[in-house]
Amino acid sequence: MKSGAVYMMANRKNGTIYIGSASKLVQRVYQHREMVVEGFTKTHGCVRLVWFEVHADLREARLRELQIKRWKRSWKVRMIEEANPDWRDLWFEIQGR
């Protein structure tokens, strides 16, 4: 069983939000930050990790990602702000993972 994480990237506080899941969170966030992959996060400048949740099973993380993507924006913002009220970039907190 492979572990995984679901995460949210943003371009600024209360800005555009991207939701994803990955088996290697640090590597994936690095790719977003450095804009090495074409797509939504590069187009919208979503380089700030503002929320993440680790799961023992990657499949659980993917299911959670799909669940959160269906939510209203206000619910996503509330979840970010409960854990990270200032929308700080959590990149430096995950470096050792």
Side-chain angles (χ1 to χ4, degrees), residues 67-78:
Q67 176 191 41
I68 293 169
K69 281 183 173 180
R70 290 190 300 265
W71 289 2
K72 295 177 182 180
R73 176 181 167 82
S74 62
W75 299 357
K76 298 169 194 173
V77 168
R78 185 179 324 129

Side-chain angles (χ1 to χ4, degrees), residues 85-97:
D86 297 322
W87 294 54
R88 289 177 299 105
D89 187 353
L90 304 175
W91 167 247
F92 301 101
E93 294 180 22
I94 66 164
Q95 293 279 319
R97 290 180 176 264

Side-chain angles (χ1 to χ4, degrees), residues 18 63 83:
Y18 170 81
L63 289 172

Side-chain angles (χ1 to χ4, degrees), residues 13-72:
K13 185 173 182 175
N14 293 316
T16 303
I17 299 170
Y18 170 81
I19 301 161
S21 60
S23 60
K24 297 178 181 177
L25 181 62
V26 173
Q27 178 181 337
R28 190 68 181 116
V29 171
Y30 176 83
Q31 291 169 343
H32 290 305
R33 290 175 61 82
E34 298 300 315
M35 297 187 185
V36 296
V37 179
E38 295 296 324
F40 185 91
T41 55
K42 184 173 182 178
T43 302
H44 296 278
C46 296
V47 297
R48 183 187 301 193
L49 176 67
V50 293
W51 179 89
F52 68 95
E53 186 176 87
V54 177
H55 293 264
D57 185 346
L58 180 57
R59 291 171 299 184
E60 289 176 18
R62 289 199 172 126
L63 289 172
R64 180 76 162 144
E65 172 193 359
L66 295 174
Q67 176 191 41
I68 293 169
K69 281 183 173 180
R70 290 190 300 265
W71 289 2
K72 295 177 182 180

